[in-house]
């Protein structure tokens, strides 16, 4: 699965909780080295060889760690709407 995601600029570093969906850095954006952390739909990647972002978890790795440790998500990421 990581070979499919990497071809489209998504660097996999894990899996979403309770899912086969890969957790990736999105290197396709214009954020320099502040890559968003996204969840990719594994069925789309495996069945159709295309990466579809299911959810953006954080605007960068720092926000992901802060959210996990302090529970303070950034208002610009999808995770801020979840409780």
């Amino acid at each position: 699965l990581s070979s499919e995601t990497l071809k489209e600029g998504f660097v996999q570093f894990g899996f979403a909780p309770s899912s086969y969906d890969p957790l990736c850095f999105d290197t396709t954006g214009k954020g320099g080295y502040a890559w968003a952390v996204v969840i990719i739909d594994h069925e789309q990647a495996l069945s159709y060889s295309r990466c579809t972002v299911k959810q953006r978890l954080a605007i960068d790795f720092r926000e992901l760690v802060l959210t996990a440790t302090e529970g303070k998500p950034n208002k610009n990421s999808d995770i801020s709407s979840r409780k």
Side-chain angles (χ1 to χ4, degrees):
L1 189 57
S2 62
S3 61
E4 292 298 325
T5 60
L6 194 55
K7 280 191 257 181
E8 292 196 39
F10 296 97
V11 180
Q12 183 179 351
F13 66 93
F15 289 95
S18 304
S19 173
Y20 293 112
D21 293 333
L23 192 59
C24 299
F25 290 114
D26 179 0
T27 67
T28 64
K30 304 280 189 224
Y33 292 104
W35 299 323
V37 178
V38 298
I39 297 174
I40 300 295
D41 186 325
H42 77 280
E43 291 178 359
Q44 291 289 315
L46 291 174
S47 299
Y48 304 107
S49 296
R50 68 173 170 240
C51 293
T52 303
V53 175
K54 283 179 87 170
Q55 182 178 11
R56 185 175 74 170
L57 291 181
I59 58 171
D60 58 19
F61 187 73
R62 180 180 180 275
E63 181 190 4
L64 182 71
V65 172
L66 288 175
T67 300
T69 59
E70 299 175 7
K72 296 178 181 176
N74 184 297
K75 63 182 179 181
N76 295 323
S77 65
D78 295 342
I79 200 169
S80 64
S81 62
R82 296 189 298 163
K83 298 222 181 215

